[in-house]
Amino acid sequence: NINTTTAGVTATSIATCETGDVVIEGGYEIRSTTTTPSPFEIQEGPLPTPLNSPPFTGPSNSAYQVTLFSGGTTVFQAYAYCFDNSP
């Protein structure tokens, strides 16, 4: 999903795999930002994580989460490369 931070606030974007698939890699793209310095990562990686914010209820390693902090407005999107674990 595409998410937007506002000044002094964190925001989270989560990319999910299809049911039964597993994340093998992920990342994020900053679409636009109005802040200097650049926004910075609070957390990035497969879910579930120790932070679990926002709560994720899917199977382990089936999604990729990115949480950013920004001093201004930043629009960003997480992405996930998933292993197709066909039934």
Side-chain angles (χ1 to χ4, degrees):
N1 66 356
I2 296 176
N3 212 327
T4 303
T5 66
T6 55
V9 178
T10 61
T12 298
S13 179
I14 298 174
T16 57
C17 298
E18 293 179 348
T19 302
D21 294 353
V22 177
V23 171
I24 52 176
E25 185 60 68
Y28 65 96
E29 174 185 6
I30 294 178
R31 303 272 178 127
S32 66
T33 188
T34 62
T35 184
T36 302
S38 298
F40 61 91
E41 294 177 19
I42 301 295
Q43 191 274 333
E44 177 184 13
L47 287 172
T49 67
L51 297 178
N52 276 340
S53 178
F56 179 72
T57 58
S60 295
N61 299 320
S62 66
Y64 198 84
Q65 172 181 303
V66 176
T67 302
L68 298 181
F69 175 84
S70 177
T73 300
T74 300
V75 177
F76 67 103
Q77 181 176 17
Y79 58 86
Y81 295 106
C82 304
F83 174 75
D84 185 10
N85 193 15
S86 299

